Structures are given as structure tokens and as C-alpha cells.
Amino acid sequence: MPYEINVSGKLRIWDTTQKEHLLKYEYQPFAGKIKDLAWTEDSKRIAVVGEGREKFGAVFLWDSGSSVGEITGHNKVINSVDIKQTRPYRLATGSDDNCAAFFEGPPFKFKFTISDHTRFVNCVRFSPDGNRFATASADGQIFVYDGKTGEKVCALGGGKAHDGGIYAISWSPDSSQLLSASGDKTAKIWDVGANSIVNTFNMGSNVLDQQLGCLWQKDHLLTISLSGYINYLDKNNPNKPLRVIKIVLMKDKKKCFAIDDLGYEPEAVAIHPGGGTAAVGGADGIVRLYSIQGTSLKNDDKSLEAKGPVTDLAYSHDGAFLAVCDANKVVTVFSVTDGYAEHNVFYGHHAKIVCIAWSPDNEHFASGGMDMMVYVWTLEANPDYTTEDILLLDQMSECRLLVDPA
């Protein structure tokens, strides 16, 4: 059965055996965000972990919520959990306390702590055949253990598997190889038995090319970049993915259209309230307009120039204006009703602007930046303000609000 989790810590389980996908059960295993979950191979038991308060995980029967063990042994947030898919069942967890933990069951009981890592343990995964499980950490190391006993088998690469932190790992279907994704902007395939690298995928040089997730599904190898791009890896050409998904048109929560090769790096997108236009901001400082025609997108061959690489953009609620913020600390507002003519330019941030949002009255908008500041702007503000004017307004607290960095 499929499931849904959200930041409030609720777990919803849906029935897909019927024509209508009905919500069967809703649980809140602990008070906090759920970060990972795993099922037993018979689909009867679920383990969930995350940012609880008094506890950081739970194991229970999916159809009753009855406990089938306890997730203990950690004193900080648990980031990852997995269950051995062959009997006898075993369970492993990884936490911000730099440790992994090993459990036997059911009912699942804490067996011992694994303290081989020196930083956060971000991911734990059992091989499909259950013979091994691996742990990956922010320390750049991957350790492999016996799936039944928890005894350490090896460290992949003999030491550091990656030059940066490792965020995700995924086993091949035959349990012989492992895919890893790292903040060093690479993904790697490992031959676990030989303890050697099979492929290294160089995903780029930009900070947004850090690899945060991965999946080995049948013959498909996928990674997710910090930019949000989904990459289909090519074993025969590690330096160029088979496919990169960057812009997807969704309708009724389902994908209906995708553009894979845009010729530029999209960074943000906004849909006009009227539903007929999509504005896509690029790393090249250009905003391109697309017509939404049914379930597809058509390039209108119309573009707008921002003052730097676009970081976010938003239409006003009435659709009359499009506000675009960029890495050069500028907000540019375009008048939609005037053919997207430049309406006003707003200066004031002292570092890269990262987000923007309109007020309900369409007369004000707010921008947030890496200078730890939120500015609230009036749409008709004088575009001829000098830097000195902005600083004076800052001191008068008329145009910016302090944001608590904590």
C-alpha cells in the first residue's frame, strides 16, 4: 500500500486495490517530523523514525497501530531506518548522534550500537537478499555489515568513500553493488564484494550539483541534485546523464508534461493565477515565458531580463505583476498587463536574495535574503532610491524586518 508522511509527523496509509484510492489509516507515531520509514517484506509491520521529542522512532502493525517493538539506543534525531527483507528480521537505524543501531525481532528489540562513524549517519540500507546492510555518513564513509549478526565486514574504499558527506545509498537488485550520492557532487557505484569502485559519476562543479538522494530501481539509476533535478545515470558515460528532468507540468497532482533538455539551467518557476502562463527563471538571468496549452507547455519565445541569476519569482495574486529576485541582490517587477514591461527595480539587500512572496492586497511583497533580512516593499516605491536612501530607511525600520538567525 502507498503511504504519505508530512512535517507534522502524520503517517497516512492508502488502499490502491480499489478504483477509488481510499484513506485506510492515519497514525502519529511520535510528536515530530517523520524522516524515514520501512516495511517488513510481508507488508504487515512499519518502522518510522524522525524528529520526535520523547522518542525518535516506532514500529507497529499497519492495520491496527499496535506496537511490535521499540526504537531505542539513540539520543538525537534518527535520520534513516531499514528492515531486512528476509527472515530472521533485523532492523537498523542511523542518527545525528553519529551512531547506527542494530535490532532483532519481531518484536524488535535493541541489540547494540554501532559507533564506527564520526559524524551524522544519514542513511542505512539492507541489501535485497538480506545478507548485508550498509551505513552512510556525513564523514564521507560507507561501512558494510553482516545482515544477520551486524558484524562489520568492511569500509568501502578502505577509508573515505567520498570527499564529502554521503546523503544516500541504494543497493542493486542483485545485492552485489551499491550506489552512493554525495555532497562532493559525485555519485558512485561500488562492487561490494571486491570493495572497489565500478563507476564515478561527476555531476558538475556548482554547489547545486551536490547529490542528495539516489535510487537503484531495476535497470534505472537515479540521483537527485540539490538543485532539485532528477538525473538518470548512464553507466557507459559517467560524465553525462541519460536524462535530466528539470521542468515538469503537474495537473491534479500528476505529471502530464516534462521538458528534459532546455538548453539552460532553470532555477525557479511560477504559474500565472489565470493558469495560462508559466514563467521560468534561469541561472543565466533570463526569465522565459511558456504557454500552458492543455497538458503541455509551449515556448512563447518571449523572455525578460533580470539583473542576475534568478533565485525566485512570483506573480501577484491578481496576476498584474511578476516579481523576480536574483543573486545580484535585486528585485525586478514586471507589469504583466503592459506586456511584461519593467515596472520597478528594488535595491536594499546586502547578500543574495533567495525567496519572494506577495501580500494579499497585491500592493506589497516581501523578499528574504542570505543577509538574514526580510524586506517588505511597497509596489509603487520610488525606483530612483539611492543606496544611502535605502540605508536611511533601514535605520528608520520602514523597509526591513530583522529575522532571528536561530
CSV table of all heavy atoms in Angstrom, one decimal, residues 11 42 48 93 108 129-130 134-135 152 177 203 206 234 240 244-245 303 329 333 337 352 358 364 374 377 394 400:
chain,number,residue,atom,x,y,z
A,11,LEU,N,1.3,9.9,9.5
A,11,LEU,CA,1.5,8.9,8.5
A,11,LEU,C,0.2,8.4,8.0
A,11,LEU,O,-0.7,8.0,8.8
A,11,LEU,CB,2.3,7.7,9.1
A,11,LEU,CG,2.4,6.4,8.3
A,11,LEU,CD1,3.2,6.7,7.0
A,11,LEU,CD2,3.0,5.3,9.1
A,42,ASP,N,6.5,-8.8,4.4
A,42,ASP,CA,5.1,-9.3,4.3
A,42,ASP,C,4.1,-8.1,4.4
A,42,ASP,O,2.9,-8.3,4.4
A,42,ASP,CB,4.9,-10.3,5.4
A,42,ASP,CG,5.1,-9.7,6.8
A,42,ASP,OD1,5.4,-8.5,6.9
A,42,ASP,OD2,5.0,-10.5,7.8
A,48,VAL,N,9.0,3.6,11.6
A,48,VAL,CA,9.1,5.0,11.3
A,48,VAL,C,10.1,5.7,12.3
A,48,VAL,O,10.1,5.4,13.4
A,48,VAL,CB,7.8,5.8,11.3
A,48,VAL,CG1,6.9,5.3,10.2
A,48,VAL,CG2,7.1,5.6,12.7
A,93,THR,N,19.1,1.5,12.2
A,93,THR,CA,18.8,2.9,12.2
A,93,THR,C,20.1,3.7,12.1
A,93,THR,O,21.2,3.2,12.5
A,93,THR,CB,18.0,3.3,13.5
A,93,THR,OG1,18.8,2.9,14.6
A,93,THR,CG2,16.6,2.7,13.5
A,108,PHE,N,10.7,-6.1,17.8
A,108,PHE,CA,12.1,-5.6,17.6
A,108,PHE,C,12.6,-5.0,18.9
A,108,PHE,O,12.0,-4.2,19.6
A,108,PHE,CB,12.1,-4.5,16.5
A,108,PHE,CG,11.8,-5.0,15.2
A,108,PHE,CD1,10.6,-5.0,14.6
A,108,PHE,CD2,12.9,-5.6,14.5
A,108,PHE,CE1,10.4,-5.5,13.3
A,108,PHE,CE2,12.7,-6.2,13.2
A,108,PHE,CZ,11.4,-6.1,12.6
A,129,ASP,N,18.8,-9.2,-0.7
A,129,ASP,CA,18.9,-10.6,-0.2
A,129,ASP,C,19.1,-10.7,1.3
A,129,ASP,O,19.1,-11.8,1.8
A,129,ASP,CB,20.0,-11.3,-1.0
A,129,ASP,CG,21.4,-10.8,-0.7
A,129,ASP,OD1,21.6,-9.9,0.2
A,129,ASP,OD2,22.4,-11.2,-1.4
A,130,GLY,N,19.3,-9.5,2.0
A,130,GLY,CA,19.4,-9.5,3.4
A,130,GLY,C,20.7,-9.9,4.0
A,130,GLY,O,20.9,-9.9,5.2
A,134,ALA,N,24.3,-1.5,4.8
A,134,ALA,CA,25.4,-0.5,4.7
A,134,ALA,C,24.9,0.8,5.4
A,134,ALA,O,23.7,1.0,5.5
A,134,ALA,CB,25.7,-0.2,3.3
A,135,THR,N,25.9,1.5,6.0
A,135,THR,CA,25.6,2.8,6.6
A,135,THR,C,26.4,3.9,5.9
A,135,THR,O,27.6,3.6,5.5
A,135,THR,CB,25.9,2.8,8.1
A,135,THR,OG1,27.3,2.6,8.3
A,135,THR,CG2,25.1,1.7,8.8
A,152,LYS,N,30.8,-6.1,11.5
A,152,LYS,CA,31.3,-5.2,10.4
A,152,LYS,C,32.1,-6.1,9.4
A,152,LYS,O,32.9,-7.0,9.8
A,152,LYS,CB,32.2,-4.2,11.0
A,152,LYS,CG,32.8,-3.2,9.9
A,152,LYS,CD,33.3,-1.9,10.4
A,152,LYS,CE,34.6,-2.1,11.2
A,152,LYS,NZ,35.2,-0.8,11.6
A,177,GLN,N,26.1,-4.7,-5.8
A,177,GLN,CA,26.6,-3.4,-6.0
A,177,GLN,C,25.8,-2.4,-5.2
A,177,GLN,O,24.7,-2.6,-4.8
A,177,GLN,CB,26.7,-3.0,-7.4
A,177,GLN,CG,27.6,-3.9,-8.3
A,177,GLN,CD,27.7,-3.5,-9.7
A,177,GLN,OE1,26.8,-2.9,-10.3
A,177,GLN,NE2,28.8,-3.7,-10.3
A,203,MET,N,28.9,15.0,-11.4
A,203,MET,CA,27.6,15.7,-11.7
A,203,MET,C,27.7,17.2,-11.9
A,203,MET,O,26.7,17.8,-12.2
A,203,MET,CB,26.6,15.4,-10.6
A,203,MET,CG,26.4,13.9,-10.3
A,203,MET,SD,26.0,12.9,-11.7
A,203,MET,CE,24.3,13.6,-12.1
A,206,ASN,N,29.0,23.1,-9.6
A,206,ASN,CA,28.3,24.1,-8.8
A,206,ASN,C,27.8,23.5,-7.5
A,206,ASN,O,27.6,22.3,-7.4
A,206,ASN,CB,27.1,24.6,-9.7
A,206,ASN,CG,26.4,25.8,-9.1
A,206,ASN,OD1,25.6,25.7,-8.1
A,206,ASN,ND2,26.6,26.9,-9.7
A,234,ASP,N,24.1,7.2,-16.6
A,234,ASP,CA,24.5,6.3,-17.7
A,234,ASP,C,25.8,5.6,-17.4
A,234,ASP,O,26.8,6.2,-17.3
A,234,ASP,CB,24.7,7.2,-19.0
A,234,ASP,CG,25.0,6.3,-20.2
A,234,ASP,OD1,25.1,5.1,-20.1
A,234,ASP,OD2,25.0,6.9,-21.3
A,240,LYS,N,27.9,12.2,-18.4
A,240,LYS,CA,26.7,12.8,-19.0
A,240,LYS,C,25.5,11.9,-18.7
A,240,LYS,O,25.4,10.8,-19.2
A,240,LYS,CB,26.9,13.0,-20.5
A,240,LYS,CG,25.7,13.7,-21.1
A,240,LYS,CD,25.9,13.9,-22.6
A,240,LYS,CE,24.7,14.7,-23.2
A,240,LYS,NZ,24.9,14.9,-24.7
A,244,VAL,N,18.0,14.3,-17.8
A,244,VAL,CA,17.8,15.2,-16.6
A,244,VAL,C,16.5,15.8,-16.7
A,244,VAL,O,16.1,16.5,-17.6
A,244,VAL,CB,18.9,16.3,-16.6
A,244,VAL,CG1,18.7,17.1,-15.3
A,244,VAL,CG2,20.3,15.6,-16.6
A,245,ILE,N,15.7,15.6,-15.6
A,245,ILE,CA,14.3,16.2,-15.6
A,245,ILE,C,14.4,17.5,-14.8
A,245,ILE,O,14.8,17.5,-13.6
A,245,ILE,CB,13.3,15.2,-14.9
A,245,ILE,CG1,13.2,13.9,-15.8
A,245,ILE,CG2,12.0,15.9,-14.7
A,245,ILE,CD1,12.3,12.9,-15.2
A,303,SER,N,11.1,36.6,-23.6
A,303,SER,CA,12.0,36.5,-22.4
A,303,SER,C,12.1,37.8,-21.7
A,303,SER,O,12.0,38.9,-22.3
A,303,SER,CB,13.4,35.9,-22.7
A,303,SER,OG,14.0,36.8,-23.7
A,329,LYS,N,21.2,40.6,-5.7
A,329,LYS,CA,20.6,41.4,-4.6
A,329,LYS,C,19.6,42.4,-5.1
A,329,LYS,O,19.3,43.4,-4.5
A,329,LYS,CB,21.7,42.1,-3.8
A,329,LYS,CG,22.7,41.2,-3.2
A,329,LYS,CD,23.9,42.0,-2.6
A,329,LYS,CE,24.8,42.6,-3.6
A,329,LYS,NZ,26.0,43.1,-3.1
A,333,VAL,N,10.4,44.1,-10.9
A,333,VAL,CA,9.0,43.8,-11.0
A,333,VAL,C,8.5,44.2,-12.4
A,333,VAL,O,8.8,45.3,-12.9
A,333,VAL,CB,8.1,44.6,-10.0
A,333,VAL,CG1,6.6,44.4,-10.2
A,333,VAL,CG2,8.5,44.2,-8.6
A,337,THR,N,0.3,43.3,-17.4
A,337,THR,CA,-0.8,44.0,-18.3
A,337,THR,C,-0.1,44.9,-19.3
A,337,THR,O,-0.8,45.3,-20.3
A,337,THR,CB,-1.7,44.8,-17.4
A,337,THR,OG1,-1.0,45.7,-16.6
A,337,THR,CG2,-2.5,43.8,-16.5
A,352,LYS,N,22.7,37.8,-1.5
A,352,LYS,CA,21.9,37.1,-2.4
A,352,LYS,C,20.4,37.0,-1.9
A,352,LYS,O,20.2,36.6,-0.7
A,352,LYS,CB,22.4,35.7,-2.7
A,352,LYS,CG,21.6,34.8,-3.6
A,352,LYS,CD,22.3,33.4,-3.7
A,352,LYS,CE,21.5,32.4,-4.5
A,352,LYS,NZ,22.2,31.1,-4.6
A,358,TRP,N,4.1,37.7,-2.3
A,358,TRP,CA,3.2,38.8,-2.4
A,358,TRP,C,2.2,38.9,-1.2
A,358,TRP,O,1.8,37.8,-0.7
A,358,TRP,CB,2.4,38.8,-3.7
A,358,TRP,CG,3.2,39.2,-4.9
A,358,TRP,CD1,4.0,38.4,-5.6
A,358,TRP,CD2,3.3,40.5,-5.4
A,358,TRP,NE1,4.6,39.1,-6.6
A,358,TRP,CE2,4.2,40.4,-6.6
A,358,TRP,CE3,2.8,41.7,-5.1
A,358,TRP,CZ2,4.5,41.5,-7.4
A,358,TRP,CZ3,3.1,42.8,-6.0
A,358,TRP,CH2,4.0,42.7,-7.0
A,364,HIS,N,2.0,45.0,-1.8
A,364,HIS,CA,3.3,44.9,-1.1
A,364,HIS,C,3.8,43.5,-1.4
A,364,HIS,O,3.0,42.5,-1.8
A,364,HIS,CB,3.1,45.0,0.4
A,364,HIS,CG,2.6,46.3,0.8
A,364,HIS,ND1,1.2,46.6,0.8
A,364,HIS,CD2,3.2,47.4,1.3
A,364,HIS,CE1,1.0,47.8,1.3
A,364,HIS,NE2,2.2,48.4,1.5
A,374,VAL,N,14.6,40.2,6.0
A,374,VAL,CA,13.4,40.2,5.2
A,374,VAL,C,13.0,41.7,4.9
A,374,VAL,O,12.9,42.5,5.9
A,374,VAL,CB,12.2,39.5,5.9
A,374,VAL,CG1,10.9,39.7,5.2
A,374,VAL,CG2,12.5,38.0,6.1
A,377,TRP,N,8.3,45.5,0.8
A,377,TRP,CA,8.4,46.6,-0.2
A,377,TRP,C,6.9,47.0,-0.6
A,377,TRP,O,6.0,46.3,-0.6
A,377,TRP,CB,9.0,46.1,-1.5
A,377,TRP,CG,10.4,45.5,-1.3
A,377,TRP,CD1,10.7,44.2,-1.1
A,377,TRP,CD2,11.7,46.2,-1.3
A,377,TRP,NE1,12.0,44.0,-1.0
A,377,TRP,CE2,12.6,45.2,-1.1
A,377,TRP,CE3,12.0,47.5,-1.5
A,377,TRP,CZ2,14.0,45.5,-1.1
A,377,TRP,CZ3,13.4,47.8,-1.4
A,377,TRP,CH2,14.4,46.8,-1.2
A,394,ASP,N,16.3,51.8,6.2
A,394,ASP,CA,16.6,50.7,7.1
A,394,ASP,C,16.7,51.1,8.6
A,394,ASP,O,16.1,50.5,9.5
A,394,ASP,CB,18.0,50.1,6.8
A,394,ASP,CG,17.9,49.3,5.5
A,394,ASP,OD1,16.8,49.0,5.0
A,394,ASP,OD2,19.0,48.9,5.0
A,400,ARG,N,12.6,47.2,6.5
A,400,ARG,CA,13.1,45.9,6.7
A,400,ARG,C,12.8,45.4,8.1
A,400,ARG,O,12.7,46.2,9.0
A,400,ARG,CB,14.6,45.8,6.4
A,400,ARG,CG,15.6,46.2,7.5
A,400,ARG,CD,17.0,45.9,7.1
A,400,ARG,NE,17.9,46.5,8.0
A,400,ARG,CZ,19.2,46.6,7.9
A,400,ARG,NH1,19.8,46.1,6.8
A,400,ARG,NH2,20.0,47.1,8.8
